Every structure is written in structure tokens, then in C-alpha cells.
Amino acid sequence: MADAKYLLVGSTEEHSGKSTTILGLTHLFLEHQIKIAYGKPLGTYVSEQSGEIVEEDLNFLSTTLGLSDDRVCPPLLSLDRETSERRLKGEDTQNYAATIQERIGQTDSDLILLEGAKDLSQGSLFNLSVSEIAEAVDASILLVARYNSLSLVSSLLTAKKFLGDRLIGVSIAGVPVSELQSVRETIKPFLERQDIPVLGIIPQDNLLRAVSVGELARRLDAKVLCCHSHLNWLVESLSIGAMNVNSALEFFRQRENMAVITGGDRTELQLAALETSTHCLILTGRTPPQSLILSRAEDLQVPVLSVNTDTLTTVEVVDRSFGTVPIQEPIKVQRVRELMEKHFDIERLIDKLGLKSAVIA
């Protein structure tokens, strides 16, 4: 066990795609017959069961990947106001980074994969920032950075100065198709010259950003008027029904797997939406839909939600949901695996970690 390597996956900002990357990485490592353990020192999506911290992401990943209990390290603490206040008052003085090795250091694995906090600074209050964890367990660091613009380069250069030689590579996630050539031919060569290996360039994928109808209903505190059995349908885009019917129909036909938000009194728009690629109809204005709408929605198996919020607020809630929901659906898991197999250089990472693959190229 003394020869096990540590890889800490961090990110430059929240919702960069760490969990997605770890899911894909773990699958690739297992394909190369590298035994792994996984831990998330700082809990974020947590609940308490029998007095123990339960991390939803960790449970999902460990279950999906079939990791035994001895290869999973539960969170050392959950990040909430009460925990932070205890630390600030001096009631909690534990060096949590030093505890990580004790919690996961006995597992029979080739590689211990750790998930960092949402950015490079979160967790510093508890000695659990990316750099502090890496220093405590002598871990190499892989950074996940979501592509937004060329300013991405500046944030990675700053990260390199901060993390030093522990940074062995970056993966750039969510790259729009229109920007792929620029990232491959301009950004990647520049970063490589700065001793920042680019191990992955992952294209943007609408399916991975999608959110289930059920999750939208939960976030909107909506009443489900029909088709409860289809709340697992995934919504990939958003349309607002606030135009005349002819214009709306033409617009709706250009979208796929969408949620349509419109007033409860806009019957013709609702019918137009139901005849296109609509996975969810969200009605605002506290006006109940006509019976023919619910009847047609039942025929087409399209869930209809009713919300008490106004259209603008509803749009904001739905829009914020895209790309921020943890990956749970099997179809998303499969897509992650496909993207990582095609767009991430796992052999190069294995070499940088000093591991040996059992797969003969």
C-alpha cells in the first residue's frame, strides 16, 4: 500500500465538471486494470444518516463504479455555516488534511483518487484546499477548467504558479464545437509551452447539461398536473412561449427535448408546443390549463407543471439548473464514458503518475 499514488482532481471554479471527469477517469483507469480508491474530503451534497455524513456524489460514484467500502473515503466534514462557525470560534482545531491518509491509507489500491473543493481556495479554513490536501498526501493534481473564453488561459497560468510541479495536467471541459479548433491549435500549444500539459479537451454536450423534469419540478416547487411516470425525461433546452402561434411553432421546431414556459391561458401556444419536441410544459400565471391540453399531453406523455412564480422567475430557475445538476442518469454516465474515451489522453496521465497499465496497446 505504501506505493499507492494519489491524484487530486481540482477545479478553477464551481461547476467545472470535476465529478463528471472523475467518473470518466475512474472508468478509464479500471479499463487499464488499475485498482483505485476514491474519496471526497470536503462534503458538499451531504445529508446525515445515523450520525454519519453521507455524500451524495460519493455514494453515486462508488455505487456506479462498484467500489467496495474499503476503497471509499467518506467526507471528513460537511461545509456548512455551523461547521464554519465552530472553526472560526476555535472550537475545532483539527488538521483535517493530516487525517486523510489515516482514513483511506489502508486500502489495497494502485491509485487513490481524491476530489477537491469547488475551487482552489475553498476548504482553506479546514486545511482542505487543493494545495493543502496535495501537500499532506503528496498528491499530483489534475485541474478541470470549464471553457468560457480565452480568459481561461490566465486562470490556468495563475493556478500553475500557485500549485507548482504538483500540477501534472489540465482537462478543458464544455468546449463549444465552434471553439474546438481554437482550443486545440492555439490554447493547447501555448499551455504546453508553459509546462501545463493539456490531457483532455472535452466538447460541450447538451445531454450532460440536461436536467430531469422531476428536478425542475422540485426546484420550481411545481404541481405536476399529468404524466408523473415521465418525470425522468431530460430537458436539454428552454423556450419561452410569448409570441404569436405561427412564429412560436416555427421556433419550437428548431429545438429538441425542450421545456416550454408559457402562461396558463395561452392554449394555442401550449398545443403548438405539445406537437414539437417538448419534454415538459411549464405553465405560469396561476391559470389552470383547459382540459383539452391535459388530454393531449396525456396522449403524448408530456408532463405538465404548474407554478406560482412569474415567467421571469421561472425562466431564471430553469436556466440556472442546466449544467449544475449532479450526473445520476445511466444515459449520462454512458455519455461521459464515451466522451472521456475519445477526448482524454489516459495513457499520458498514467505515465505521468508513474503507474503501469495492464492493457497492451
Side-chain angles (χ1 to χ4, degrees), residues 165-209:
D165 292 338
R166 291 196 181 279
L167 179 61
I168 63 170
V170 300
S171 181
I172 303 175
V175 182
V177 174
S178 60
E179 297 294 323
L180 280 172
Q181 183 176 356
S182 174
V183 173
R184 289 168 178 162
E185 298 180 3
T186 304
I187 293 179
K188 178 179 178 179
F190 175 82
L191 290 174
E192 294 275 358
R193 291 195 297 270
Q194 312 307 312
D195 194 26
I196 303 176
V198 179
L199 304 182
I201 298 174
I202 315 300
Q204 187 178 79
D205 189 282
N206 286 338
L207 178 61
L208 296 186
R209 297 182 68 253

Side-chain angles (χ1 to χ4, degrees), residues 11-18 118-120 144-146 148:
S11 58
T12 54
E13 61 183 351
E14 191 174 12
H15 302 311
S16 292
K18 284 194 312 299
K118 70 178 184 181
D119 55 34
L120 296 182
V144 181
R146 181 163 297 279
N148 40 41

Side-chain angles (χ1 to χ4, degrees), residues 77 83 86-96 126:
L77 77 163
T83 304
R86 289 186 65 247
R87 188 72 166 184
L88 292 171
K89 293 175 180 177
E91 298 171 2
D92 175 12
T93 59
Q94 182 175 346
N95 184 345
Y96 287 96
F126 304 94

Side-chain angles (χ1 to χ4, degrees), residues 4-11 39 41-42 76 95-101 112-117 119-120 122-124 126-143 159 162-168 353:
K5 308 289 185 179
Y6 282 85
L7 176 63
L8 175 58
V9 180
S11 58
L42 192 62
L76 301 176
N95 184 345
Y96 287 96
T99 309
I100 295 174
Q101 207 159 19
I112 298 173
L113 196 60
L114 297 176
E115 181 172 352
D119 55 34
L120 296 182
Q122 188 183 44
S124 296
F126 304 94
N127 314 112
L128 289 175
S129 68
V130 168
S131 61
E132 288 170 310
I133 293 174
E135 187 68 26
V137 299
D138 192 24
S140 299
I141 297 172
L142 172 71
L143 276 187
F162 185 58
L163 300 174
D165 292 338
R166 291 196 181 279
L167 179 61
I168 63 170
L353 289 168

Side-chain angles (χ1 to χ4, degrees), residues 42-332:
L42 192 62
T44 48
Y45 295 97
V46 301
S47 59
E48 293 224 359
Q49 296 179 12
S50 302
E52 293 186 359
I53 298 173
V54 177
E55 166 62 48
E56 295 176 15
D57 278 357
L58 186 144
N59 283 355
F60 169 71
L61 283 169
S62 60
T63 300
T64 301
L65 298 166
L67 299 180
S68 57
D69 289 344
D70 64 323
R71 291 190 180 176
V72 178
C73 178
L76 301 176
L77 77 163
S78 60
L79 191 63
D80 55 33
R81 182 182 179 89
E82 182 180 353
T83 304
S84 298
E85 286 185 345
R86 289 186 65 247
R87 188 72 166 184
L88 292 171
K89 293 175 180 177
E91 298 171 2
D92 175 12
T93 59
Q94 182 175 346
N95 184 345
Y96 287 96
T99 309
I100 295 174
Q101 207 159 19
E102 300 172 15
R103 292 285 292 269
I104 201 171
Q106 303 304 312
T107 182
D108 179 24
S109 303
D110 303 313
L111 177 68
I112 298 173
L113 196 60
L114 297 176
E115 181 172 352
K118 70 178 184 181
D119 55 34
L120 296 182
S121 63
Q122 188 183 44
S124 296
L125 181 60
F126 304 94
N127 314 112
L128 289 175
S129 68
V130 168
S131 61
E132 288 170 310
I133 293 174
E135 187 68 26
V137 299
D138 192 24
S140 299
I141 297 172
L142 172 71
L143 276 187
V144 181
R146 181 163 297 279
Y147 181 85
N148 40 41
S149 66
L150 294 179
S151 63
L152 167 76
V153 174
S154 296
S155 65
L156 291 176
L157 289 174
T158 300
K160 173 64 177 177
K161 293 176 181 177
F162 185 58
L163 300 174
D165 292 338
R166 291 196 181 279
L167 179 61
I168 63 170
V170 300
S171 181
I172 303 175
V175 182
V177 174
S178 60
E179 297 294 323
L180 280 172
Q181 183 176 356
S182 174
V183 173
R184 289 168 178 162
E185 298 180 3
T186 304
I187 293 179
K188 178 179 178 179
F190 175 82
L191 290 174
E192 294 275 358
R193 291 195 297 270
Q194 312 307 312
D195 194 26
I196 303 176
V198 179
L199 304 182
I201 298 174
I202 315 300
Q204 187 178 79
D205 189 282
N206 286 338
L207 178 61
L208 296 186
R209 297 182 68 253
V211 57
S212 70
V213 176
E215 178 65 17
L216 288 180
R218 185 187 70 80
R219 294 190 176 204
L220 290 166
D221 193 22
K223 182 178 181 181
V224 181
L225 301 182
C226 72
C227 306
H228 289 74
S229 62
H230 284 70
L231 296 181
N232 61 337
W233 276 16
L234 294 177
V235 172
E236 298 181 19
S237 61
L238 171 64
S239 296
I240 305 170
M243 55 195 86
N244 65 61
V245 176
N246 291 334
S247 298
L249 191 57
E250 183 178 350
F251 179 73
F252 291 159
R253 285 171 176 165
Q254 299 172 8
R255 313 297 290 274
E256 291 186 357
N257 304 334
M258 61 185 171
V260 174
I261 299 175
T262 190
D265 58 346
R266 301 296 301 272
T267 302
E268 291 185 347
L269 273 173
Q270 295 161 21
L271 286 172
L274 290 173
E275 299 304 322
T276 56
S277 182
T278 298
H279 276 192
C280 175
L281 191 60
I282 303 174
L283 307 182
T284 64
R286 299 182 177 86
T287 301
Q290 293 188 18
S291 58
L292 67 92
I293 295 296
L294 293 181
S295 176
R296 186 57 177 157
E298 288 278 10
D299 290 341
L300 298 171
Q301 291 295 287
V302 177
V304 178
L305 310 182
S306 176
V307 298
N308 290 325
T309 50
D310 59 74
T311 299
L312 179 59
T313 302
T314 305
V315 168
E316 290 176 347
V317 172
V318 174
D319 196 48
R320 284 198 305 268
S321 300
F322 291 120
T324 64
V325 177
I327 289 176
Q328 304 284 342
E329 298 84 0
I331 189 173
K332 287 189 177 184

